[in-house]
């Protein structure tokens, strides 16, 4: 890493200390007490500054972990980790730092991938990923984002030239620093490898299917731990059924057969379950319902899925498709199979990813319009929000009360929480080249700097030119 990360860390830590002393106004109080008495702007500024220090400290640790990993490689004479009695660099670092070995292993791999190389004659060569390495060392790129970018570049490398690889690296780093949040970066990185793979998505899809599994392990106390890995076309059915019972706006309580619901609002145990408990309860309820409905010939499905395909892929069976609410792409051929063998609503898009225009003078959006917006938006369009389409409201960009039409060109998907914030807090929204830009009210941001929302969903909108 070209930047002196340690010097930057010391400088920013000193500034953070000064900021903390300013908050305490000279009184010998704890940091928490100082923050409790601070103004909103001072509190947020302190949090942002502390996050910068954390990024620099993590970059320094990743550099050190990468060097420990290099010295512990099996090809090195007398590997460091073995010499100190540990099986790996991750195990050695976990023991020395008290961190979880699985977390340290990720950081060590990232540090090793980003570290400078040693040539055959002993000279020091640049990192394989200089842009990622520099942004991480400067404290501008979070470690998690750096790891996502490196994994994507590794996946692309077998099918790309060095020039293409450098272009993709710069594209991803610039996007992560200037435009995208972590969610959008992950969306872009997920779709990029397919653009460079000459064999298309079908071999990768076959590999995912081969990994599908359901595992059970009985624990000592009698509980059973289930783990599963499912390809997108199977995961979609599970998620759709689970979400139908656990969506935030639905109040769900599972009862035994014949038990009355009663007044749920007054029940002392009402909705006291954790999110994980709700999901398990929903799964068990689905299983119970399937058994009660089984007449000995189980078949068919009752859940409606929404399948999205580009028109060319829909007609030829060549290309990619995706299922609403599931991140992983599937092949167009699998999409055609789903469309013909299950209760699936298929939304066909043009080459720009836009569904057909639907208009109405009604106050509320129709079901068909909501499906068209789901095909276009992919979920809540608020910056950084990951709510899937089935958790979203169809919101007016120009309010109905101000003459806004109820058509999909004036509609956007927002989750219930962000829909309320948009309506009540005074945000404005503009669509530029298909990208939503949310402008905050002045009382939230004096500069009123627009913030990019939306998700990159279609292959045509993902990645740089090849």
């Amino acid at each position: 890493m070209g930047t002196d990360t340690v010097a930057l860390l010391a400088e920013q830590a000193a500034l953070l200390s000064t900021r903390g002393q300013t908050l305490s106004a000279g009184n010998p109080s704890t940091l928490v007490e100082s923050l409790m008495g601070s103004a909103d702007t001072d509190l947020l500024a302190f949090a942002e500054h502390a996050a910068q220090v954390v990024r620099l400290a993590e970059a320094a640790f990743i550099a050190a972990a990468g060097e420990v990993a290099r010295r512990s490689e099996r090809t090195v004479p007398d590997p460091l980790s073995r010499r100190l009695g540990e099986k790996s660099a991750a195990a050695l670092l976990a023991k020395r730092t008290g961190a979880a070995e699985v977390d340290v292993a990720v950081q060590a791999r990232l540090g090793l991938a980003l570290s400078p190389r040693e040539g055959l004659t002993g000279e020091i060569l640049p990192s394989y990923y200089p842009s990622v390495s520099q942004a991480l060392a400067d404290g501008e790129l979070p470690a998690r984002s750096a790891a996502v970018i490196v994994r994507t570049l590794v996946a692309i490398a077998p099918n790309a030239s060095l020039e293409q690889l450098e272009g993709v690296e710069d594209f991803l780093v610039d996007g992560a620093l200037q435009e995208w949040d972590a969610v959008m970066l992950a969306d872009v990185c997920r779709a990029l490898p397919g653009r460079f793979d000459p064999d298309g998505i079908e071999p990768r899809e076959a590999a995912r299917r081969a990994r599908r599994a359901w595992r059970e392990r009985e624990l000592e106390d009698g509980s059973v731990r289930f783990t599963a890995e499912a390809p997108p076309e199977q995961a979609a059915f599970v998620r759709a059924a689970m979400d139908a019972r656990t969506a935030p706006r639905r109040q769900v309580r599972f009862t035994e057969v014949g038990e009355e619901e009663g007044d749920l609002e007054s029940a002392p145990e009402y909705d006291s379950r954790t999110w994980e408990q709700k999901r398990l309860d929903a799964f068990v309820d689905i299983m119970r319902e399937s058994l009660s409905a089984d007449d000995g010939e189980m078949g068919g499905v009752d859940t409606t899925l929404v399948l999205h395909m580009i028109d060319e892929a829909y007609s030829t069976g060549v290309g990619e498709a995706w299922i609403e609410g599931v991140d992983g792409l599937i092949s167009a051929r699998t999409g055609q199979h789903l469309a013909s063998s299950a209760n699936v609503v298929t939304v066909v898009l043009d080459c720009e990813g836009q569904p057909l225009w639907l208009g109405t003078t009604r106050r509320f959006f129709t079901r068909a319009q909501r499906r068209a917006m789901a095909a276009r938006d992919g979920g809540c369009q608020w910056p950084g929000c990951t709510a899937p389409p089935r958790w979203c409201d169809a919101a007016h960009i120009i309010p109905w009360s101000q003459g806004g039409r109820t058509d999909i060109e004036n509609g956007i998907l927002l989750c219930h929480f962000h829909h309320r914030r948009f309506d009540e807090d005074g945000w404005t929204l503009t669509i530029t080249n298909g990208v939503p830009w949310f402008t905050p009210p002045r009382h939230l941001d004096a500069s009123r700097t627009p913030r990019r929302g939306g998700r990159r969903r279609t292959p045509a909108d993902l990645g740089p030119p090849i």
Side-chain angles (χ1 to χ4, degrees):
M1 299 183 184
T3 297
D4 189 346
T5 304
V6 175
L8 277 176
L9 175 60
E11 176 185 338
Q12 292 300 317
L15 292 175
L16 182 65
S17 176
T18 301
R19 188 186 292 272
Q21 293 172 7
T22 301
L23 288 178
S24 65
N27 296 324
S29 57
T30 65
L31 173 61
V32 174
E33 291 172 342
S34 298
L35 293 175
M36 290 175 65
S38 64
D40 292 345
T41 54
D42 293 335
L43 173 63
L44 293 174
F46 185 89
E48 292 173 2
H49 198 150
Q52 171 73 1
V53 173
V54 169
R55 285 196 296 270
L56 287 166
E58 190 169 21
F61 178 75
I62 287 171
E67 179 60 17
V68 172
R70 188 186 70 81
R71 297 186 188 188
S72 299
E73 290 182 320
R74 294 181 179 180
T75 56
V76 175
D78 194 17
L80 176 60
S81 58
R82 294 288 181 88
R83 185 175 359 123
L84 297 179
E86 299 296 339
K87 62 181 179 180
S88 65
L92 174 59
L93 288 167
K95 183 175 181 179
R96 292 298 183 99
T97 64
E101 185 175 337
V102 63
D103 295 332
V104 174
V106 173
Q107 294 168 315
R109 285 195 297 268
L110 179 60
L112 188 60
L114 297 180
S115 63
R117 299 165 289 148
E118 185 175 342
L120 295 177
T121 59
E123 74 276 18
I124 301 300
L125 303 176
S127 165
Y128 281 116
Y129 310 108
S131 296
V132 178
S133 180
Q134 186 67 51
L136 181 68
D138 290 340
E140 297 177 346
L141 187 68
R144 185 182 294 272
S145 297
V148 169
I149 294 174
V150 169
R151 283 198 299 269
T152 302
L153 295 174
V154 170
I156 290 173
N159 303 310
S161 66
L162 288 177
E163 183 178 356
Q164 288 176 324
L165 206 60
E166 290 173 359
V168 172
E169 180 184 2
D170 291 338
F171 167 75
L172 292 176
V173 172
D174 289 344
L177 296 183
Q178 301 175 16
E179 186 176 1
W180 308 327
D181 57 23
V183 174
M184 186 172 292
L185 173 65
D187 284 343
V188 174
C189 288
R190 187 178 295 112
L192 270 179
R195 302 192 64 196
F196 291 86
D197 190 347
D199 296 327
I201 192 175
E202 292 192 9
R204 301 198 307 276
E205 184 180 57
R208 286 191 311 216
R209 275 202 205 100
R211 294 199 310 269
R212 72 188 188 278
W214 174 276
R215 301 180 182 90
E216 301 178 13
R217 178 187 173 192
E218 188 166 349
L219 305 181
E220 293 181 358
D221 65 354
S223 300
V224 179
R225 178 174 296 159
F226 301 102
T227 58
E229 182 174 349
E233 64 269 23
Q234 292 182 331
F237 287 95
V238 178
R239 282 188 171 176
M242 297 280 279
D243 287 344
R245 290 162 170 78
T246 58
R249 295 186 68 184
R250 295 191 57 165
Q251 304 296 341
V252 183
R253 180 170 179 248
F254 300 97
T255 61
E256 298 296 335
V257 177
E259 181 183 352
E260 295 296 330
E261 289 286 346
D263 184 4
L264 295 183
E265 294 292 347
S266 61
E269 73 281 7
Y270 178 66
D271 204 22
S272 61
R273 298 166 297 157
T274 65
W275 176 249
E276 291 80 6
Q277 290 170 336
K278 290 180 182 179
R279 301 288 281 183
L280 177 62
D281 289 348
F283 180 76
V284 172
D285 197 63
I286 293 169
M287 297 299 101
R288 183 186 295 119
E289 289 177 4
S290 70
L291 291 175
S292 64
D294 185 8
D295 58 1
E297 297 181 1
M298 295 294 290
V301 293
D302 294 327
T303 301
T304 298
L305 301 182
V306 181
L307 174 70
H308 303 230
M309 301 177 69
I310 304 299
D311 52 357
E312 182 179 356
Y314 180 72
S315 59
T316 64
V318 178
E320 300 170 338
W322 64 96
I323 303 170
E324 184 178 298
V326 179
D327 289 331
L329 298 173
I330 63 174
S331 66
R333 190 180 304 276
T334 297
Q336 289 178 328
H337 176 73
L338 282 176
S340 62
S341 63
N343 186 14
V344 174
V345 174
T346 303
V347 180
V348 180
L349 314 174
D350 63 20
C351 62
E352 298 298 327
Q354 296 295 319
L356 294 177
W357 180 86
L358 294 172
T360 179
T361 58
R362 295 173 51 182
R363 169 66 178 85
F364 298 105
F365 289 94
T366 66
R367 191 173 188 179
Q369 287 174 310
R370 284 179 51 84
R371 282 180 175 158
M373 281 188 277
R376 180 193 64 195
D377 297 345
C380 180
Q381 297 293 281
W382 196 271
C385 185
T386 60
R390 61 177 59 91
W391 291 6
C392 294
D393 301 332
H396 289 79
I397 297 175
I398 301 174
W400 167 268
S401 60
Q402 298 178 17
R405 290 172 54 84
T406 305
D407 60 52
I408 64 173
E409 291 182 346
N410 188 47
I412 191 167
L413 289 189
L414 294 174
C415 69
H416 184 59
F417 175 80
H418 287 129
H419 189 183
R420 187 170 66 252
R421 295 275 61 80
F422 180 74
D423 287 343
E424 296 178 1
D425 290 350
W427 291 72
T428 57
L429 171 62
T430 56
I431 307 293
T432 305
N433 296 326
V435 177
W437 292 89
F438 291 81
T439 302
R442 195 167 299 279
H443 71 274
L444 293 179
D445 182 355
S447 66
R448 301 205 70 198
T449 302
R451 305 175 188 180
R452 175 171 180 151
R455 305 181 185 186
R456 299 194 168 205
R457 297 292 300 174
T458 62
D461 192 33
L462 289 172
I466 298 176

